[in-house]
Amino acid sequence: MPASIQRKFIFVVGGVLSGVGKGVTSASLGAIYKAKGLRVTALKADPYVNVDAGTMNPIEHGEVFVTNDGDETDQDMGNYERFLDTDLDSNNYMTTGRVYLKVIENERQMKYKGRCVQVVPHIPEEIIRRIREAAKRHDAHITIVEIGGTVGEYENLLFLEAARMMKLQSPADVAFVLVSYLPVPAHIGEMKTKPTQHASRALNSVGINADMIVARGRLELDKPRLEKLAVFCGVSRENCISAPDVPSIYQIPVKLEEQDVGNKLLKVLGMKRRQTDMKKWHDFVHRILQPEREVKIAVVGKYFGTGDFTLADSYHSVIEAIKHASWHHRAKPVLEWIDSERYEANPAKVKELAGYDGLIVPGGFGSRGIEGIIRAIKFAREEKKPYLGLCYGMQLASIEFVRHVLGKKTAHTVEVSPDTAEPVIHINPNQAANVRNNRYGGTMRLGAYDCALRRGTKTHAAYGADLVSERHRHRYEFNNEYREAIDAAGLRVVGINPESDLVEIVELAEHPFFVGTQFHPEFQSRPFRPHPLFRDFIGACLA
Ligand code: GLN
């Protein structure tokens, strides 16, 4: 048995406003400790009552990030996986709903042996159990725990209470980082520390004092501001860290490490200083900031009129995967979101797609905008524009092919047209029963499944392997009744799940690059390891 290690925990909490960058800060801390040769894992604790992120509207919540073990989690988990270059699982994610559900299940099973089950201590105790369990599962020296929401609000109090209790249990093993925001009001023109002072007080009122403040804002922290933060928030001056806006989130590990953030927190945790090898990150940032050319990608889907911010959030991993692949080719990705409904109103408009180097149709649900998407896919197929279809993008590419190449005009998915005579995309009986009985939460085909690849195809060449594993999140499937026909007509079935014989990848012969995947390859793209299909798709776009 290897000697047991002293596990350390860093809690990251947010002050002043949401969206301040807790997730990227947490992920960056993880990257730094990895670059120090330590084993690291990261958890997200989300305050909402939903058991997972799968039942929330993407407009409200952003992307649902799927882990290998099929958990439907928050997009911050994607940032952790990308920055840590590691696979996480359901141990790394919790919500208020999930914690309560477990405590209530325990109570029903008499696990509290007749005691009165209380919000405190039983809820924080279950939170702590989960944090320690994740640390153990990943055998982590350092476990980073990001608490969702902002200090001072009601919803995340029990997570903060759990953090406080852990600090009491083992004071030397727990550190707190407050990621806060310092606004620069236009009429004043300088950074203001007061909101952060209030956030720090709010944290004090729940029994926690920050060990470090990461000061987010438009500008660098100057000396007077730093002084104020240190004095009024009770944080040492050296632990007030400047984190101004930067062009790319992938610069943040480098920026933080320039201020020796990793060692400063190790000191809080009673650990020795360690060298950091940030070369990979430096090289990567150089690639990002010094592109040699551009690649122009159209992302076609149904888009809601809520502005770019939310939209980009809903496809976070897709965007990151496009970036990783583009940077691999030393190209700067230029993404444009195209609302497919414009091609329904005006089919001739589809010709505008000639102005792009390639086309992506990401995942989606429901009927809105899909006829427009099918028009865009037809254009990509006929005009030989590189195409990558992700999940719904694969299903709709198959429907387009059956309609226009096999001539079966009514071809459809039963998701949209339950009684279609040509159900190219259908539903298996288990899934149909889930839908009939309103069993929506956590019941899709979720998580990693094997996929056997056909040799001599672009897909096989991209992966350079016969068998791969990819993550899924969908309810409907390609109908094997159509398999031989599409394959013979040129939309080749090149990836199959060996256990279920389900179609996982289709690829057009006689086309520079036209691939549709039933799974979501974007979840496994990493900064230093772009996903092979995205990589070769962008390669084809640049060719
Ligand atoms: N709506 C489709 C399904 O449920 C595709 C889902 C997706 O793109 N994630 O099968």
Side-chain angles (χ1 to χ4, degrees):
M1 271 276 284
S4 73
I5 56 174
Q6 189 62 27
R7 302 196 198 284
K8 304 285 182 175
F9 300 86
I10 300 173
F11 285 89
V12 178
V13 300
V16 181
L17 36 94
S18 61
V20 69
K22 295 187 305 286
V24 172
T25 304
S26 304
S28 299
L29 287 175
I32 289 169
Y33 287 118
K34 241 197 127 176
K36 285 182 178 296
L38 292 166
R39 281 194 302 277
V40 190
T41 197
L43 279 89
K44 176 82 193 271
D46 262 328
Y48 42 75
V49 179
N50 301 58
V51 171
D52 57 43
T55 52
M56 265 181 280
N57 184 333
I59 288 297
E60 203 163 314
H61 175 267
E63 174 184 78
V64 176
F65 186 82
V66 181
T67 55
N68 274 335
D69 65 345
D71 202 1
E72 297 176 276
T73 74
D74 183 82
Q75 57 183 343
D76 280 319
M77 293 276 286
N79 278 331
Y80 307 161
E81 284 207 353
R82 286 184 283 269
F83 279 68
L84 300 183
D85 196 6
T86 193
D87 291 340
L88 301 176
D89 52 56
S90 61
N91 289 293
N92 296 75
Y93 178 66
M94 69 178 112
T95 66
T96 297
R98 190 171 291 192
V99 172
Y100 268 86
L101 194 63
K102 180 72 184 167
V103 169
I104 292 167
E105 272 168 20
N106 286 345
E107 184 272 335
R108 293 288 81 185
Q109 294 164 9
M110 281 302 282
K111 293 216 174 124
Y112 297 102
K113 301 193 167 51
R115 272 173 297 154
C116 172
V117 182
Q118 296 183 287
V119 171
V120 178
H122 295 106
I123 297 297
E125 275 174 7
E126 168 60 17
I127 294 169
I128 294 172
R129 186 193 67 75
R130 285 169 177 267
I131 294 170
R132 293 200 187 278
E133 178 68 17
K136 207 167 97 194
R137 292 267 178 143
H138 294 275
D139 196 17
H141 296 103
I142 306 269
T143 299
I144 294 159
V145 187
E146 179 190 347
I147 298 182
T150 312
V151 288
E153 65 187 33
Y154 202 76
E155 278 202 315
N156 57 12
L157 270 180
L158 291 166
F159 292 117
L160 293 170
E161 175 62 5
R164 188 191 70 87
M165 282 166 64
M166 271 185 85
K167 178 80 177 173
L168 279 183
Q169 289 166 4
S170 38
D173 300 334
V174 175
F176 297 106
V177 176
L178 173 63
V179 183
S180 195
Y181 190 72
L182 279 71
V184 186
H187 66 291
I188 303 175
E190 66 177 37
M191 273 182 125
K192 302 305 281 179
T193 62
K194 195 75 83 202
T196 297
Q197 294 179 35
H198 284 296
S200 160
R201 286 284 154 84
L203 200 54
N204 291 160
S205 75
V206 297
I208 294 173
N209 202 90
D211 296 296
M212 176 176 280
I213 292 178
V214 174
R216 292 275 304 109
R218 203 152 56 69
L219 306 175
E220 293 267 353
L221 207 53
D222 60 7
K223 216 154 164 240
R225 254 48 62 172
L226 191 147
E227 212 62 64
K228 271 195 187 166
L229 277 189
V231 172
F232 291 111
C233 303
V235 174
S236 71
R237 288 165 78 233
E238 62 161 20
N239 281 6
C240 295
I241 305 298
S242 194
D245 296 341
V246 283
S248 165
I249 56 169
Y250 295 107
Q251 289 171 270
I252 299 188
V254 171
K255 291 280 170 202
L256 292 181
E257 195 45 16
E258 277 166 11
Q259 297 173 75
D260 204 21
V261 160
N263 281 325
K264 287 174 179 176
L265 284 172
L266 287 186
K267 188 171 162 198
V268 173
L269 294 166
M271 289 171 79
K272 284 206 223 39
R273 292 184 65 83
R274 296 176 76 101
Q275 292 283 349
T276 322
D277 180 3
M278 297 295 283
K279 182 165 186 322
K280 270 203 302 201
W281 285 97
H282 282 288
D283 293 350
F284 189 59
V285 168
H286 181 79
R287 250 173 206 273
I288 296 171
L289 299 180
Q290 316 282 329
E292 288 165 6
R293 49 191 166 162
E294 271 187 10
V295 59
K296 210 171 157 200
I297 306 295
V299 185
V300 184
K302 67 164 178 193
Y303 298 123
F304 313 78
T306 51
D308 287 354
F309 175 75
T310 322
L311 184 65
D313 252 18
S314 318
Y315 296 104
H316 196 69
S317 295
V318 176
I319 297 169
E320 294 310 301
I322 295 170
K323 288 182 187 168
H324 303 157
S326 303
W327 293 329
H328 169 86
H329 293 284
R330 297 198 174 274
K332 176 186 172 187
V334 178
L335 291 186
E336 236 159 274
W337 303 94
I338 295 183
D339 183 347
S340 57
E341 280 174 305
R342 63 197 269 112
Y343 304 143
E344 295 177 357
N346 187 349
K349 275 219 164 84
V350 79
K351 291 199 192 85
E352 72 188 12
L353 292 171
Y356 296 87
D357 299 316
L359 215 74
I360 288 190
V361 172
F365 295 85
S367 62
R368 193 163 146 199
I370 70 161
E371 291 304 326
I373 296 178
I374 289 174
R375 287 209 169 106
I377 296 173
K378 181 167 185 278
F379 180 86
R381 179 176 57 77
E382 291 176 344
E383 301 301 318
K384 307 221 183 292
K385 276 276 164 206
Y387 174 76
L388 184 58
L390 312 169
C391 205
Y392 218 9
M394 171 271 198
Q395 297 179 352
L396 296 174
S398 306
I399 292 167
E400 189 281 317
F401 192 85
V402 174
R403 281 191 192 174
H404 303 125
V405 177
L406 300 186
K408 302 188 170 176
K409 301 229 157 12
T410 59
H412 224 312
T413 166
V414 301
E415 176 175 357
V416 175
S417 175
D419 303 316
T420 175
E422 302 285 355
V424 177
I425 305 300
H426 67 168
I427 189 166
N428 72 35
N430 292 340
Q431 283 297 353
N434 284 335
V435 173
R436 240 188 348 266
N437 298 307
N438 297 338
R439 285 192 301 256
Y440 290 113
T443 59
M444 281 189 244
R445 184 169 172 224
L446 289 169
Y449 287 86
D450 281 348
C451 176
L453 304 178
R454 194 201 291 188
R455 293 199 171 167
T457 62
K458 288 200 183 68
T459 301
H460 186 274
Y463 280 102
D466 293 332
L467 190 72
V468 295
S469 168
E470 292 280 7
R471 300 183 196 171
H472 293 246
R473 181 172 187 258
H474 55 99
R475 218 176 277 287
Y476 300 86
E477 304 283 353
F478 184 87
N479 181 350
N480 276 335
E481 301 273 317
Y482 292 85
R483 187 152 140 190
E484 266 174 44
I486 63 162
D487 196 278
L491 186 62
R492 298 194 292 169
V493 173
V494 302
I496 294 288
N497 174 253
E499 285 92 47
S500 61
D501 199 34
L502 289 170
V503 173
E504 309 283 42
I505 310 176
V506 295
E507 171 184 317
L508 204 58
E510 320 289 334
H511 191 289
F513 191 99
F514 187 106
V515 173
T517 63
Q518 183 57 83
F519 49 78
H520 290 272
E522 65 269 23
F523 291 138
Q524 294 203 87
S525 180
R526 302 275 166 84
F528 310 131
R529 290 187 290 132
H531 190 283
L533 292 178
F534 278 89
R535 185 197 62 212
D536 286 8
F537 163 70
I538 296 290
C541 292
L542 288 165

